[in-house]
Amino acid sequence: MKRVLLVLLACLVVAMSLAACGSGDSAAPSTSQGSAVSSGTADASNAQGLPGRFAETKKITVEVFDRAVDGGTKAEDNFYTNFIKEGMLRDYNVEVTFVPVPRWTETEQMNNLLAAGTAPDVCLTYSYPTVQTYANMGGIVDLAPLLESNKDKLTDLYSLLGEENINWNKDPDKGTIWAIESMLFQNKRINTFVREDWLKKLNMAEPTTLEEFETMLKAFKDNASTLLGANANKMIPFLLSVDIGWTADHLLTSFIPNSFTDSEKEYFANNFDDRHLLATGYKNGVKKLNEWYNAGLVWKDFPLYPAGDKNIDNQMKAGYVGAFIHNWDYPYRNGDDSIAANIKKLAGADAAYVAIETFKNDAGVYKKFLSAPIDRKIFFPSTNKETEASLLYLNWISKLDNRKFLQIGEEGVTHEVLPDGIIKSIATTGEKFMNSPYNIDYTMTINGLDLGDKDLTTKSVALGYAGVEPKYVQKAYELTSKDAFIEKHINVGPIKSEEGMGPALKEKRDNMLVQSVTAKPEKFDSIFDSGMKDYLASGGKAIIDERAAAYDKYHK
């Protein structure tokens, strides 16, 4: 009997040793550090892998914006998605599948996915009302208890976002968190750009007032043959898109009285539209665009192309556009296929877009409206059955080493390191091309370059646009946030009247602005006023009233 027991004991020891050896992933041990996961669903003692690796492979799906970039790669399957997939499998034993969503219709697409119950496990959107709508229907996971119970495992996520961004949307009464806010690391937004070489040809200085800007547009139109030669009939003094609130932002907001932001309550109640449609004086800015359109100073065909349509950028790339308003660095993006690179190929080495300040408000200030340091809203739909693995995904992409690689890529391929440590981008094509600036579509917890050193980051931004002289980027970087008004975080919990209204009100806003700009001058007032009346009656007024009441409740 003793011999039998000894044999059985020996067999048991061997079996346990074999089981222990087979409990980890077959990949080589990771040398990076991570957060330990101690729940019963994860292997906290796995000596062969990163502390926190799951014993059994978990599978999650992650949303990624698809920008359909010319010369780009598949948003859901490329060099950078593979880097993330391999890292998550190695470090946490989590298998990641990316789900592409069109960038320019992301709100509508996300509504469809959530309604169908097919949304990815990890989602992001710019529309918080969309999140709130489905949260009220039981379609969104409350992150508050998950974040609290897993906080010790999410050190990189908390280090990047801080308590403020993570708790930004926390309900002041119920304590629920339906979405966390990613970090807007460089709070930059919009610039006004003009063709510097055209100004030189016409012996004109950069315009510093609305009147000078208008004079410049007229000069571009009147001298189309000088500037464009045989393509004179394709001249576009000022470019617009159907997203007028964005591509005319600096002009429109310059008509808003400087005092509009003095009343915190008034600003909060009327500022749910991120294009500032409801601000005092906005109509006057739209009327100025109407004047320009009827005078032939604005692209006649702009209503034909939806936001994000490639033909809009193609007008600039072809060298037909004198001035436009867009993202603060827009002409310098995308390396060899950037707007800046294309106009140099067609119009010569001197061809360039330069950022300017030209639209003063009534106080003589070039006031820019910037958001608080928040960006995309990250949330988990209720169909997510792997919430812990999803949180670890957010932690993994928030780790400095991981997001730094995603933002600047490989040394010698997508960037070079100068002697003083500054990062200089290299124009890249093929599999390692980045579809978005600093790969922001894969670093969903941060928008903006962060190298871990503020001074190094700032200097590197100027060299982050391959083929573009740093002086242009530096000027654009400075002007876009000069004299900025940064929105304050005012948390009043959910606004019921906003739920589900985002896409509908956006469509009404864009349509009324397009119709107003393209109207005959004598029809402008009636078209704008009727459009605004419809916008307010369709939910806008209810939102204003509820926001004002909520402000009084929590902040009076």
Side-chain angles (χ1 to χ4, degrees):
M1 181 63 71
K2 288 181 179 180
R3 284 197 296 272
V4 172
L5 288 173
L6 288 171
V7 171
L8 289 173
L9 181 61
C11 291
L12 181 61
V13 169
V14 172
M16 290 177 66
S17 299
L18 291 173
C21 292
S23 64
D25 192 271
S26 59
S30 169
T31 57
S32 62
Q33 296 180 348
S35 306
V37 177
S38 57
S39 72
T41 60
D43 179 11
S45 60
N46 183 1
Q48 286 191 301
L50 183 71
R53 290 184 80 254
F54 290 95
E56 297 179 1
T57 303
K58 303 295 181 181
K59 296 182 179 181
I60 63 171
T61 53
V62 177
E63 177 189 355
V64 61
F65 285 152
D66 184 357
R67 299 175 184 268
V69 178
D70 288 336
T73 58
K74 289 184 67 175
E76 72 276 21
D77 183 18
N78 56 53
F79 174 76
Y80 301 102
T81 59
N82 289 338
F83 169 76
I84 296 173
K85 291 177 182 179
E86 293 167 6
M88 280 297 294
L89 194 61
R90 177 193 67 234
D91 293 347
Y92 288 130
N93 200 14
V94 174
E95 187 177 303
V96 177
T97 300
F98 287 95
V99 178
V101 171
R103 165 65 187 96
W104 308 111
T105 56
E106 61 95 1
T107 302
E108 295 85 348
Q109 183 70 9
M110 186 50 58
N111 269 293
N112 294 336
L113 293 172
L114 288 167
T118 57
D121 295 320
V122 182
C123 294
L124 73 161
T125 180
Y126 283 100
S127 172
Y128 188 75
T130 296
V131 178
Q132 186 66 59
T133 297
Y134 286 92
N136 291 342
M137 298 166 58
I140 306 292
V141 173
D142 178 11
L143 295 175
L146 290 169
L147 290 165
E148 183 62 31
S149 61
N150 291 285
K151 189 172 183 178
D152 62 327
K153 311 161 194 174
L154 306 173
T155 54
D156 294 301
L157 179 66
Y158 272 85
S159 176
L160 173 61
L161 300 185
E163 294 282 351
E164 184 175 26
N165 279 48
I166 286 177
N167 293 296
W168 193 275
N169 298 308
K170 190 171 186 176
D171 189 294
D173 294 324
K174 300 177 181 178
T176 53
I177 299 176
W178 302 120
I180 62 175
E181 297 284 348
S182 66
M183 173 64 68
L184 184 59
F185 196 75
Q186 276 111 25
N187 198 354
K188 309 294 178 182
R189 191 167 180 262
I190 284 175
N191 267 319
T192 302
F193 297 95
V194 300
R195 280 285 295 269
E196 183 183 51
D197 53 317
W198 285 10
L199 290 176
K200 291 179 179 178
K201 282 185 179 180
L202 300 179
N203 196 29
M204 299 182 72
E206 292 179 7
T208 59
T209 66
L210 172 62
E211 292 73 23
E212 290 177 359
F213 189 85
E214 186 173 299
T215 298
M216 177 194 74
L217 296 184
K218 291 177 180 177
F220 288 165
K221 179 188 176 185
D222 295 341
N223 293 277
S225 296
T226 301
L227 300 173
L228 290 176
N231 291 316
N233 64 326
K234 297 178 181 179
M235 161 64 71
I236 302 173
F238 185 67
L239 186 77
L240 271 184
S241 80
V242 293
D243 188 359
I244 291 173
W246 187 264
T247 53
D249 176 271
H250 278 181
L251 168 69
L252 297 172
T253 56
S254 71
F255 284 87
I256 299 174
N258 197 59
S259 60
F260 178 68
T261 54
D262 291 348
S263 170
E264 188 174 271
K265 176 181 175 180
E266 180 184 3
Y267 185 80
F268 174 74
N270 289 278
N271 199 49
F272 61 88
D273 177 81
D274 63 356
R275 301 300 192 251
H276 309 291
L277 174 69
L278 300 169
T280 304
Y282 197 88
K283 177 183 176 180
N284 294 328
V286 182
K287 189 170 187 177
K288 175 57 68 174
L289 283 175
N290 173 267
E291 293 175 12
W292 289 357
Y293 183 85
N294 283 286
L297 302 181
V298 172
W299 186 31
K300 286 288 185 184
D301 294 336
F302 84 88
L304 303 178
Y305 303 98
D309 192 289
K310 295 179 181 178
N311 196 50
I312 300 172
D313 282 7
N314 288 342
Q315 304 303 311
M316 294 179 276
K317 290 179 178 180
Y320 303 148
V321 178
F324 70 95
I325 298 172
H326 213 305
N327 295 333
W328 77 271
D329 58 348
Y330 201 70
Y332 314 131
R333 297 178 175 184
N334 297 333
D336 287 339
D337 193 43
S338 68
I339 293 168
N342 275 279
I343 60 173
K344 284 186 181 296
K345 296 172 188 175
L346 293 172
D350 292 336
Y353 279 109
V354 60
I356 62 169
E357 279 189 315
T358 187
F359 302 116
K360 295 179 181 180
N361 65 12
D362 61 336
V365 178
Y366 298 111
K367 192 170 185 175
K368 288 90 170 182
F369 289 81
L370 300 184
S371 72
I374 60 172
D375 193 58
R376 294 152 292 183
K377 295 87 178 72
I378 302 171
F379 65 97
F380 300 165
S382 58
T383 50
N384 184 338
K385 305 305 179 186
E386 297 292 350
T387 54
E388 186 177 343
S390 299
L391 282 176
L392 291 176
Y393 174 84
L394 297 180
N395 191 69
W396 192 90
I397 61 168
S398 298
K399 184 176 178 61
L400 180 60
D401 289 346
N402 295 335
R403 56 186 167 88
K404 183 177 176 181
F405 180 82
L406 288 169
Q407 290 192 325
I408 63 175
E410 286 188 350
E411 184 175 356
V413 179
T414 54
H415 75 272
E416 62 178 298
V417 182
L418 302 183
D420 54 3
I422 295 174
I423 302 298
K424 180 180 180 181
S425 293
I426 301 174
T428 307
T429 57
E431 64 172 358
K432 295 174 183 176
F433 177 83
M434 295 183 183
N435 292 327
S436 54
Y438 300 118
N439 262 337
I440 61 173
D441 296 333
Y442 303 110
T443 61
M444 66 164 63
T445 53
I446 184 172
N447 183 347
L449 180 65
D450 175 23
L451 300 174
D453 179 281
K454 184 176 180 180
D455 185 56
L456 183 63
T457 298
T458 301
K459 292 177 180 178
S460 297
V461 166
L463 298 178
Y465 300 82
V468 179
E469 291 183 61
K471 68 177 183 179
Y472 291 109
V473 181
Q474 289 170 345
K475 186 176 182 183
Y477 189 89
E478 174 190 351
L479 293 187
T480 185
S481 54
K482 184 180 176 184
D483 296 327
F485 172 80
I486 299 176
E487 296 174 10
K488 180 182 177 182
H489 181 211
I490 301 174
N491 187 7
V492 298
I495 302 295
K496 298 291 184 183
S497 54
E498 285 189 44
E499 295 167 14
M501 295 305 298
L505 288 178
K506 174 184 178 297
E507 183 177 3
K508 282 186 176 294
R509 177 199 69 204
D510 291 347
N511 286 339
M512 70 169 284
L513 290 179
V514 169
Q515 292 167 16
S516 298
V517 169
T518 58
K520 295 295 183 182
E522 64 272 14
K523 297 286 187 180
F524 172 79
D525 285 322
S526 61
I527 289 176
F528 184 92
D529 293 345
S530 62
M532 180 61 76
K533 183 178 180 180
D534 178 52
Y535 181 92
L536 293 173
S538 299
K541 182 63 165 59
I543 295 174
I544 294 171
D545 292 343
E546 186 179 349
R547 278 183 155 239
Y551 182 89
D552 285 342
K553 177 181 177 181
Y554 292 102
H555 298 282
K556 190 172 184 179

